[in-house]
Amino acid sequence: QVHLVESGGGTVQTGGSLRLSCTVSGLAFNDYAMGWFRQVPGTQREFIARITRTALNEIKDYSTSVAGRFTISRDNAKNTVYLQMNSLKLEDTAVYYCAVRTIPSGSYSYAGNYGYWGQGTQVTVSS
């Protein structure tokens, strides 16, 4: 069975930092691109960042809302993808999800192209 376990969420003041982790089991982690999404209750899930598999040079892309502040990375030896979040803003408050991209065609920002998801971890940014 494929499992994604997230950690690192919490509450932080504006301007602060958090590092989210997501450890994957049950598949060949190195063979898949990974993504991070976030969701505010009652809204659609929002793409945040992606990283391609290492064989494709770990290319990174970010949403406009987080570019320059967030960094996605992966450690294949640990089957883990990370999201370093700096300069946090109030509008970054959301539940954050990691996901495995199972459909490589189409847009990397489309949540429907990711077949396995973590349980989500809450990030709350306070003033």
Side-chain angles (χ1 to χ4, degrees), residues 38 66 69-70 87-94 96 123 125:
R38 67 188 182 190
V66 308
R69 299 187 298 119
F70 291 11
S87 302
L88 283 161
K89 304 175 180 179
L90 292 175
E91 54 264 42
D92 294 320
T93 296
Y96 284 71
V123 172
V125 183

Side-chain angles (χ1 to χ4, degrees), residues 102-119:
T102 54
I103 301 174
S105 60
S107 176
Y108 58 72
S109 65
Y110 174 50
N113 286 334
Y114 296 76
Y116 300 102
W117 295 81
Q119 79 282 2

Side-chain angles (χ1 to χ4, degrees), residues 5-26:
V5 180
E6 297 176 315
S7 62
T11 301
V12 64
Q13 292 185 329
T14 56
S17 298
L18 286 172
R19 190 192 193 201
L20 307 183
S21 299
C22 174
T23 299
V24 182
S25 62

Side-chain angles (χ1 to χ4, degrees), residues 3-4 9 12 17 20 24-25 32-34 36-37 39 48 67 79 83 88-89 92 112 124:
H3 296 282
L4 289 73
V12 64
S17 298
L20 307 183
V24 182
S25 62
Y32 292 88
M34 297 291 298
W36 284 96
F37 293 75
Q39 189 167 24
I48 296 300
N79 285 7
L83 185 69
L88 283 161
K89 304 175 180 179
D92 294 320
T124 302

